[in-house]
Every structure is written in structure tokens, then in C-alpha cells.
DNA sequence: CGCGCGGCTGAACGCGCGTTTAGAGTGGTG
DNA sequence: CACCACTCTAAACGCGCGTTCAGCCGCGCG
């Protein structure tokens, strides 16, 4: 995770880091020559080490996923909910990896699916704990709820990134961590409010829907 | 909105429709030659009519935005909330335009921002009405809540599209309406549940957060 | 020492892109 | 008829991409 100042690293690793940064910033449409220049090497050397551009991307994917896995393991054991809320301030630390993930999700691919699925699974187990401990309401469809929460959260992230890009020119060069913190700031309060009180004043809509789909009654809150 | 079977249309319009369909399916990386072939004309003619690929895209953007505006005006006056919930079944009808919008949001650009801002504005006024009529809880930050709801909804859509693509090969060719209906089906119940009851059992988190940011007290539900 | 081998480069190749150019076909107008 | 405006095409151009190729350096080993 430490994206050291390049000098003591293998050339291979330097190229990989440069690629992660460049791909995260400009997307995978970024040229091999740009990556090579960033890393201070010739385009041919990139191919020499990784076989092809796809090979390079695969290595970036793997590295990023590994970084995330390590980071997540630590976070899951160390943090409280409120710490998580505040943790976004540390986002700069993970800015390049974070940017890469956002881009990977935006442009589709292996990391995207793996990442999202991992998040869903984590959310599910975490919610289960929270329900058991009484801080979170039970659900008729815990798995669906976990997926819903993750899909909306990740999606909100994408929208934030896209709006930040739309504000600038055609070529993005948007700081992902900054965009994240920005959206977080504008959205945290409404989000918390919604999570606390819900949106609707009655369960009529829910009842109607459930009546229309099957015969169950709404569990009381 | 009627994407008629191509024959009685101006060649210009035929190219435009082909471009909307092709861009919606494959993204804007799709080649001019592909669009030309779809429309049954030569690549040069596309340039002749629209000046450049960007010109073509601009025309597509404008046309799609106009379609949406018309469609939305009608929907806003005609539909009830429950009808809106069920309206997704009609999605196939607007499949090409819908696909184009999803792609436009995914790849960033003018339509994306306009579309999302329009949705936010609509949501805000709609929520205001609903609050007045007592079906929706008031919020300390109505504008923020509207933005939150739209960002999460749109974002969920993007995630759905991306996951659908990840399931297929590299070249997507995913039916956007189908992907939408799929995600809708798996997500509607958890969503409604969340909107009705909220997620948390107490307002502690919200209180803590608000205490940490300013001095206001939490409004009782 | 000599020799090979891996890291590394500059130059080139082929390809597909958006775009340009020159001109053919066609229909309306003096 | 001659002329023109307009739609439309085939062919080519230039560019940037990913990739290949032939060869240069420097270090460790027999």
C-alpha cells in the first residue's frame, strides 16, 4: 500500500505503480506510452515485463485486490461505526488505489465484480452482527438489504466521480479522494437521517407491494 | 420516442437513431464505421451530415434529452407512486433511449450532468409535495435528501448495468431494460423496507454526528 | 579474461480510427 | 438542354495505438 517515492522499487513494481496511478486517473484508455513515461522507462520495457497491456492490467488488478483485502481485514477488526464515518479523512492515503477501484468499476472488469461482491458479503455479515446486537433493525431479506445498501453506496460514489469530472474538462484529472470527501460531506446527514427514520410515514406502500406479490403481512417495526 | 423501422425517416434521422442505439449498446468508443454500417450508409456521409463524431454525439445528446423531457412531463402528471413502481415493465419501450442515458452517465458528459440534475430537481419538488401531504417525513436538509436519493438510485442502476456486463464477455451487448428489471426485482423489497422503517433502531448515530458538527438537536420522528 | 544473459532502448510495423478529398448519381430550375 | 445544388460513396491520409525487432549495455560466472 505504501506508494513509496519510486526509487528503491524494482523497475517492474515502479511500472505497476505508475500504471495504477495513471489508469486510476485517466481510465484504461490511457496509453501504454503514458504509463511508460510516468515510470521513466520505454514502452517496449512495459511489454517486456508484462507481455501485453492486458497483462499489465491483470497485474494491477491483482495487486489492488490484494491491497484491499489486507486493508479491509485490518479495518474490520479495528473500527467502530463512528470511526468508519470519520475514516474518510484518511482517504488521501489510499487515493491511488481508491481511484483505480473507482475506474475499474466504472469501466467494468474483473476487479469491479470481485470488489463489489466482497463488499456485499462483508456488509451482510456485518449487518447480521448489528441486528444481533440490536443496533440495526432485522429485515425480511437480509441478503437483499446488504446488496441494496452496497449497490446504492457504490453507485453514489460513481455518480459523485462522474459529476466531479463533468465539472472539469473532457480529460478528467479529478482527485478521487477529494471527490469522495466532497460527496460524503453533502450526503452524510441526509443518509443518516434516512437510515434512522426512514423516508415514509406509513408502511402502506410496503404493505401494498407485499400484498401484491405474496401473502405475508408486514412485520411491525 | 418511436424508433420506427427506419425506412420512412430522413437519412440524417436514420443515422442519428442508429448512433443512439449503437452508442447505447457499445459505448462511445464504438466506431463511426459501425454506426454507418448500422444505418446502411458510408462513413463519409456521417461526417457530411454531422461535421464530426462529436457533432453526431451532440445531436444524439440533444435528441435524447428532448425525448426524456417530453416523456417525463407526461409521467409526472399521470402517474401515482405505485404506478411508478410498476412502470419499469414498460422499460422495453424506451430501451434504446434508456441505454443511451446509462452509457452517457457511465462515460460522463453533458447529458449525464443535465439528466442527473433534472432528476434531483424533480425529486426535490416531488418530495416537498409528499411531505406536505404527509406521506413522507420532513427532513432537516430536503435538498440534500433529494440529491442523496437520486444519487443512490442512479448509482444502483450503474452498478446493475456493470454487473450485468461483467457476467458477459468483454463486449457487453447487454439489454439495459432487462438489467434494470432484474435489479429492480431483487432490490425493491429491501428498498421499500428501508424507506419505511429505516435501518437503525435508535437515533444515537445521528445524534452523535450532529452533536459533533453543530449544536442542533435531533428533531423527533 | 571472455561470454552469455537479462534489463533495457530506438525504431519500426500493422492496424483501426476520425477525417478529407474528388467525384459520381440525381432531381429541380433557368 | 445546360447548370446547379444536393446526397452520397470509394479511396486515401495522418495519427496514435499496442506490439515487435534487433541490438546495446553491464554484471556475474566459468
Amino acid at each position: 500500500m505504501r506508494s513509496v517515492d519510486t526509487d528503491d522499487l524494482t523497475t517492474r513494481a515502479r511500472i505497476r505503480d505508475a500504471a495504477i496511478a495513471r489508469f486510476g486517473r485517466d481510465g484504461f484508455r490511457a496509453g501504454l506510452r503514458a504509463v511508460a513515461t510516468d515510470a521513466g522507462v520505454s514502452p517496449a520495457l512495459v511489454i517486456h515485463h508484462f507481455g501485453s497491456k492486458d497483462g499489465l492490467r491483470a497485474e494491477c488488478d491483482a495487486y489492488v485486490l490484494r491491497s484491499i483485502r489486507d486493508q479491509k481485514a485490518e479495518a474490520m477488526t479495528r473500527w467502530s461505526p463512528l470511526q468508519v464515518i470519520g475514516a474518510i479523512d484518511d482517504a488521501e492515503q489510499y487515493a491511488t488505489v481508491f481511484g483505480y477501484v473507482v475506474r475499474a468499476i466504472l469501466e467494468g472488469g474483473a476487479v469491479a465484480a470481485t470488489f463489489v461482491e466482497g463488499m456485499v458479503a462483508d456488509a451482510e455479515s456485518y449487518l447480521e452482527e448489528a441486528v444481533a446486537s440490536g443496533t440495526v433493525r432485522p429485515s425480511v431479506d437480509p441478503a437483499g438489504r446488504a446488496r441494496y445498501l452496497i449497490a446504492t453506496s457504490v453507485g453514489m460514489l460513481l455518480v459523485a466521480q462522474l459529476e466531479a469530472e463533468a465539472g472539469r474538462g473532457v480529460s478528467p484529472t479529478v482527485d478521487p479522494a477529494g471527490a469522495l470527501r466532497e460527496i460524503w460531506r453533502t450526503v452524510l446527514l441526509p443518509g443518516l437521517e434516512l437510515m434512522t427514520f426512514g423516508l415514509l410515514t406509513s408502511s402502506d406502500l410496503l404493505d401494498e407491494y407485499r400484498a401484491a406479490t405474496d401473502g405475508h403481512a408486514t412485520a411491525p417495526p
Side-chain angles (χ1 to χ4, degrees), chain A:
Chain A
M1 178 69 70
R2 66 214 155 98
S3 62
V4 182
D5 290 57
T6 65
D7 265 3
D8 57 337
L9 291 171
T10 328
T11 307
R12 216 186 127 91
R14 235 173 55 229
I15 296 174
R16 190 223 318 114
D17 286 358
I20 291 175
R22 178 57 81 158
F23 287 155
R25 208 171 295 277
D26 294 356
F28 294 106
R29 69 181 90 112
L32 215 56
R33 285 166 171 84
V35 173
T37 305
D38 291 352
V41 301
S42 69
L45 188 63
V46 180
I47 299 289
H48 173 75
H49 275 306
F50 300 95
S52 69
K53 189 184 184 179
D54 281 349
L56 173 60
R57 178 170 176 182
E59 193 122 335
C60 291
D61 283 1
Y63 181 80
V64 164
L65 277 180
R66 191 155 43 79
S67 293
I68 291 172
R69 207 181 315 276
D70 298 349
Q71 188 62 35
K72 207 161 62 173
E74 193 185 359
M76 294 271 290
T77 61
R78 273 198 309 118
W79 293 354
S80 77
L82 205 60
Q83 275 180 309
V84 171
I85 288 178
I88 306 301
D89 289 339
D90 301 346
E92 264 133 6
Q93 186 181 348
Y94 323 120
T96 61
V97 169
F98 176 74
Y100 186 91
V101 172
V102 170
R103 261 280 137 36
I105 298 176
L106 269 176
E107 304 189 11
V111 228
T114 309
F115 177 75
V116 172
E117 288 312 309
M119 298 271 295
V120 170
D122 288 350
E124 197 168 345
S125 78
Y126 180 75
L127 284 170
E128 198 174 11
E129 281 178 38
V131 168
S133 78
T135 60
V136 163
R137 297 173 183 277
S139 168
V140 281
D141 180 8
R145 181 169 70 175
R147 183 164 294 273
Y148 176 88
L149 288 170
I150 293 303
T152 52
S153 304
V154 171
M156 196 176 58
L157 204 67
L158 302 189
V159 173
Q161 174 73 12
L162 292 167
E163 293 211 323
E165 283 179 16
R168 276 64 166 184
V170 178
S171 185
T173 319
V174 168
D175 168 34
L180 173 61
R181 207 168 34 246
E182 174 67 16
I183 194 72
W184 195 251
R185 203 170 46 71
T186 67
V187 130
L188 213 166
L189 181 58
L192 268 180
E193 198 184 58
L194 185 74
M195 295 304 167
T196 308
F197 300 128
L199 179 75
L200 306 170
T201 53
S202 83
S203 63
D204 291 350
L205 252 185
L206 180 56
D207 292 338
E208 279 184 56
Y209 172 74
R210 300 191 68 190
T213 44
D214 56 35
H216 301 327
T218 301

